[in-house]
Amino acid sequence: QSALTQPRSVSGSPGQSVTISCTGTSSDVGGYNYVSWYQQHPGKAPKLLIYDVTKRPSGVPDRFSGSKSGNTASLTISGLQPEDEADYYCCSYAGGYTFRVFGGGTKLTVL
Amino acid sequence: QVQLQESGPGLVKPSGTLSLTCAVSGGSISSAHWWGWVRQPPGKGLEWIGQTFHSGSTNYNPSLQSRLIMSLDKSNNQFSLNLSSVTAADTAVYFCARDRIEGYYFDYWGQGILVTVSS
């Protein structure tokens, strides 16, 4: 069982928006503004999409956005494109004992 | 552009030690970042293993701590992972990554290496 809870799968049609949730506790997601999101295509390494809850690295399209409310972080992908079909993982800083926790991952299908 | 490349045996016997190295290019491991490891069992999600700082200090996943040693090799600009007493449950793709100290996120990743624990 993963420390952070994500839906196993989400889907959407090209051009639509989808939101992926990531629920933790006050010891991780809720306690720090250090949530990051990663995109992983099959057989590839994860790619950083969002860090510090809402920030995008250079080169990541602004179709990807992050937010947080309480113990739940969210990744929203707007204007879905076929290449967005991938697995998505959230990760949070969890303090000085556990340090880092990942979500179980969400498979995004673009219909 | 920082690049990371994992290397090591692809097959380890049960009860043995899994040893991997991550070579860093395009940047120095002596810079103020953590250098970490993440693994992914086949068909499953990501699991944080641990991290080592340029000073040599380390933080480990509590569930792996008793079997884990990480270290830096500054002369060769690489860092390493040693996981002892392995079982089939340690079979996974192992990724090394640069772990930003200001924000706690992984910005550069290696391509990953599959390590199978089997006799």
Side-chain angles (χ1 to χ4, degrees), chain A residues 38 40 45 51-52 89 99-100, chain B residues 40 59 99 103-106 110:
Chain A
Y38 303 87
Q40 186 181 36
Y51 65 98
D52 293 356
Y89 293 90
F99 297 104
R100 302 297 164 83
Chain B
Q40 185 171 36
N59 295 314
D99 190 350
Y104 304 101
Y105 57 92
F106 306 98

Side-chain angles (χ1 to χ4, degrees), chain B residues 22-98:
Chain B
C22 181
V24 179
S25 59
S28 171
I29 64 166
S30 296
S31 59
H33 298 296
W34 291 96
W35 301 93
W37 294 91
V38 175
R39 70 181 182 178
Q40 185 171 36
K44 296 187 177 181
L46 302 172
E47 179 184 28
W48 181 74
I49 299 173
Q51 61 188 176
T52 181
F53 198 50
H54 70 87
S55 64
S57 63
T58 55
N59 295 314
Y60 298 149
N61 185 321
S63 68
L64 300 171
Q65 184 168 335
S66 63
R67 302 191 288 131
L68 197 54
I69 296 177
M70 293 183 182
S71 61
L72 293 174
D73 178 358
K74 293 182 180 180
S75 61
N76 289 305
N77 212 41
Q78 61 188 27
F79 59 104
S80 64
L81 161 74
N82 284 272
L83 182 65
S84 61
S85 303
V86 296
T87 69
D90 295 309
T91 293
V93 175
Y94 286 75
F95 296 99
C96 60
R98 190 175 79 170

Side-chain angles (χ1 to χ4, degrees), chain A residues 21-99:
Chain A
S21 61
C22 169
T23 301
T25 70
S26 58
S27 297
D28 38 64
V29 174
Y32 308 94
N33 287 322
Y34 294 131
V35 176
S36 51
W37 288 91
Y38 303 87
Q39 177 191 61
Q40 186 181 36
H41 288 106
K44 299 295 187 181
K47 172 190 173 183
L48 177 67
L49 289 178
I50 297 288
Y51 65 98
D52 293 356
V53 179
T54 62
K55 298 176 182 177
R56 275 179 292 104
S58 61
V60 173
D62 59 6
R63 302 187 296 105
F64 296 90
S65 62
S67 62
K68 191 184 86 166
S69 177
N71 296 335
T72 299
S74 298
L75 172 71
T76 297
I77 310 171
S78 59
L80 272 178
Q81 298 183 2
E83 59 264 33
D84 296 335
E85 186 161 294
D87 294 324
Y88 292 83
Y89 293 90
C90 61
C91 182
S92 176
Y93 178 67
Y97 177 69
T98 307
F99 297 104

